[in-house]
Amino acid sequence: MEMSLADCWSSPPPSPIGFEGYEKRLEITFSDAPVFVDPCGRGLRALSREQIDSFLDLARCTIVSQLSNKQFDSYVLSESSLFVYSHKVVIKTCGTTKLLLAIPRILELAVELSLPVRSARYSRGTFIFPGAQPSPHRSFSKEVSVLNGFFGGLKSGGNAYVMGDAFRPKKLWHVYHATEMPEQPMVTLEMCMTGLDARKAAVFFKNSADGGCSSAKEMTKVSGISDIIPEMEICDFDFDPCGYSMNGICGPAASTIHVTPEEGFSYASYEAMNVNPGSLVYSDLIKRVLSCFCPSDFSVAVTIFGGQGFAKSWAAGVEVGSYMCDDLVEQELPGGGLLMYQSFTAVAPGAVSPRSTLDGWNSDGTEPDKEMCCIGWEEVEKKVAKKGLIA
């Protein structure tokens, strides 16, 4: 009996230590379908709930709540979030999900809708419990091989980077990007926070004697999340006995937050995409997010397409009082993009010493070399995508 791809990428037993908060994020953008095929331009939004579930099942997550507007559909998942635009899908999953296993089904559905792939981007931080991850997520090199199999044939080829300080291996940022053509102007912020303040984290425990809340809506209000971008309409969800997720939507803009509040491996993430960079001051947004969680460490990754003039204040590094900047790294991306990555550690007020570093990782996925470098791949594996999956 022949084994399937999912059988080969079996899961290890769940971590006995704690829950993995760091998410894996996959964004796939598509070009227009012929007008006679999709005269209303619905694109991916024409997918049924059953079709969406078919690729979420492969990633090992389910929909728990939904909120939509005229521009896109947002879904809170059992493990993070899904956003479906007419020509873009963004999936963000935490825990021991198998995100990359969803790619073949997503591309099959896109072919059925006559939507050719335009670009793909994958990003994640450094897992708290890397040994608990299922293959291919146990090393970035394996993830890159899989991604190149599907997207390495795009015009730019597959390009992968590990950003950060080699002497701080828990603060590395992993990015893969491939594109067929220049990207549309857009700014995306990905923010990861660890070591949450105990009082802030207590808000996300249900009915806790230490200041917990009874509902997701109460958590949203008490934590200050509702004040980060007040214009956002929020769909929130609380987990038993603790944990929280939310999606916010406003026109084409989206935000999402996920919180794992347990002491010892507490984590929170914040993302904002498709926001108007001229209407939000980048540093103010970061400070509003931090006030909700007061983490001991955090990182920000800003991806910019459309140039620094379009990005406004988002195109410069941020300085935050009471935090020291460990890294400030800039990386050009195919399609006219720029990625800015910074990591921070809480220190006494005034002790700020920013510096800029860039580092690499070993090809076998083990600890990174101590020299600072940035690695880009050409296509390194034989293309495995079926004919028609990539334009």
Side-chain angles (χ1 to χ4, degrees), residues 1-11 60 98 101 135:
M1 180 177 178
E2 185 177 350
M3 294 182 68
S4 68
L5 189 62
D7 292 329
C8 295
W9 291 347
S10 59
S11 296
R60 303 296 190 267
K98 303 179 178 182
L101 268 65
S135 182

Side-chain angles (χ1 to χ4, degrees), residues 104-105 107-108 111 117 149-150 383-391:
R105 179 58 179 153
L107 297 183
E108 285 177 7
V111 168
V117 173
F150 294 108
K383 185 177 177 182
V384 297
K386 296 180 180 179
K387 183 177 180 181
L389 296 185
I390 295 179

Side-chain angles (χ1 to χ4, degrees), residues 20 116 131 135 167 169 171 198 201-202 213 239 266 286 293 298 314 341 350:
E20 178 60 67
S135 182
F167 292 95
K171 290 191 173 185
C213 296
F239 298 88
S266 62
I286 296 297
F293 305 104
F298 75 95
W314 295 62
Y341 174 74

Side-chain angles (χ1 to χ4, degrees), residues 137-355:
H137 298 291
R138 292 170 193 160
S139 77
F140 189 47
S141 58
K142 292 180 181 178
E143 292 174 317
V144 170
S145 292
V146 172
L147 290 161
N148 267 333
F150 294 108
F151 307 113
L154 295 176
K155 189 173 182 179
S156 71
N159 299 268
Y161 314 91
V162 178
M163 305 174 69
D165 186 345
F167 292 95
R168 302 174 188 269
K170 294 183 179 180
K171 290 191 173 185
L172 301 180
W173 188 247
H174 307 72
V175 179
Y176 174 92
H177 187 77
T179 185
E180 186 69 16
M181 59 190 75
E183 301 276 9
Q184 297 296 317
M186 185 179 68
V187 169
T188 301
L189 165 66
E190 296 171 77
M191 188 170 177
C192 302
M193 296 162 278
T194 57
L196 310 186
D197 176 82
R199 290 171 297 179
K200 300 290 187 179
V203 171
F204 303 100
F205 284 83
K206 293 184 70 173
N207 302 311
S208 167
D210 297 324
C213 296
S214 60
S215 68
K217 298 227 175 278
E218 187 179 357
M219 293 175 184
T220 300
K221 182 65 175 177
V222 172
S223 65
I225 288 173
S226 57
D227 297 323
I228 295 175
I229 303 180
E231 296 80 8
M232 289 275 181
E233 180 182 1
I234 290 177
C235 175
D236 42 26
F237 191 88
D238 59 88
F239 298 88
D240 272 324
C242 63
Y244 169 91
S245 289
M246 84 80 164
N247 290 337
I249 66 175
C250 181
S255 65
T256 185
I257 290 177
H258 305 283
V259 184
T260 300
E262 293 97 324
E263 186 177 357
F265 51 91
S266 62
Y267 171 85
S269 67
Y270 176 80
E271 176 175 338
M273 63 178 174
N274 288 345
V275 296
N276 179 357
S279 65
L280 281 173
V281 177
Y282 174 50
S283 60
D284 291 346
L285 178 62
I286 296 297
K287 292 170 185 176
R288 287 198 293 270
V289 175
L290 290 174
S291 69
C292 298
F293 305 104
C294 296
S296 62
D297 299 89
F298 75 95
S299 66
V300 290
V302 180
T303 304
I304 298 168
F305 289 99
Q308 294 188 354
F310 167 75
K312 308 294 184 185
S313 63
W314 295 62
V318 66
E319 293 186 8
V320 183
S322 299
Y323 286 92
M324 179 180 70
C325 180
D326 303 315
D327 295 292
L328 172 57
V329 185
E330 294 187 8
Q331 174 62 49
E332 292 184 359
L333 297 176
L338 175 68
L339 172 61
M340 296 186 59
Y341 174 74
Q342 289 182 269
S343 67
F344 296 84
T345 301
V347 294
V352 179
S353 179
R355 58 195 179 90

